[in-house]
Amino acid sequence: MTKITVKKESPVTADGHMLINGSETVLREIYTAEECFTFTAEELVNDNVSFFVARKEERAVGCVALVIEADYGEVKRLYVPDHARGLGVAKILMAHLEEQASKQGLKSVKLETGEKLVAAVTLYKSLGFSVCDKFGNYEDDPVCLFMEKAL
């Protein structure tokens, strides 16, 4: 069985753009542009952001970003393309993100998702995330579901 590796990479590479564009495509099939609170590849190039790419045999099979806020980390852009689904890539990426957040001294990780993203919500709950109040600069929006996990 080929091992899946996760490393910090630039989001503005060809693979970074491919993964982020794939994520955006999936979200836009479900939500309108006004309902999406996503970061572009260029917006992820920031000192407080770590962009992680999962690879299997050098092929990019998923991504996630950790945005460091004052006392928590925010999960952004968790995405696994269709061809890599069912391999446990999302769980591997989230475990890596949580480990990195802990190393940064963060007390929790939070995320914004939506109830229409059933597989994502199920995954987050299975990883120990629970529903929380809105955080950061998010507006009140009925499509938003906020979750957090203490580290």
Side-chain angles (χ1 to χ4, degrees):
M1 180 177 221
T2 305
K3 184 179 175 185
I4 294 169
T5 60
V6 178
K7 291 184 181 155
K8 183 178 175 180
E9 297 186 19
S10 170
V12 292
T13 63
D15 284 339
H17 279 289
M18 179 269 299
L19 291 164
I20 291 168
N21 291 342
S23 167
E24 193 68 20
T25 298
V26 170
L27 288 174
R28 295 299 170 96
E29 290 171 355
I30 300 168
Y31 294 105
T32 67
E34 295 76 30
E35 294 172 329
C36 289
F37 304 101
T38 57
F39 284 18
T40 65
E42 291 72 22
E43 289 171 323
L44 291 171
V45 178
N46 196 307
D47 290 342
N48 72 324
V49 179
S50 295
F51 183 74
F52 302 107
V53 175
R55 293 185 178 278
K56 180 178 180 184
E57 296 177 352
E58 302 302 315
R59 185 176 186 190
V61 293
C63 67
V64 70
L66 172 63
V67 180
I68 301 196
E69 298 296 347
D71 60 347
Y72 65 90
E74 183 176 358
V75 178
K76 298 295 280 184
R77 286 295 188 188
L78 177 64
Y79 174 68
V80 176
D82 286 342
H83 69 82
R85 301 235 168 114
L87 301 175
V89 176
K91 287 182 180 180
I92 291 167
L93 282 164
M94 288 300 292
H96 186 82
L97 179 140
E98 289 178 28
E99 179 183 326
Q100 297 304 308
S102 289
K103 286 181 181 177
Q104 296 280 335
L106 300 175
K107 303 292 183 220
S108 66
V109 286
K110 299 181 181 189
L111 59 89
E112 179 274 329
T113 188
E115 291 179 2
K116 292 179 185 177
L117 298 171
V118 176
V121 173
T122 301
L123 169 73
Y124 297 135
K125 286 181 178 178
S126 78
L127 296 175
F129 282 79
S130 56
V131 175
C132 67
D133 292 331
K134 79 177 177 96
F135 59 88
N137 296 322
Y138 289 99
E139 301 288 328
D140 283 322
D141 193 316
V143 302
C144 293
L145 177 65
F146 300 98
M147 302 181 83
E148 70 180 336
K149 178 180 180 178
L151 297 175

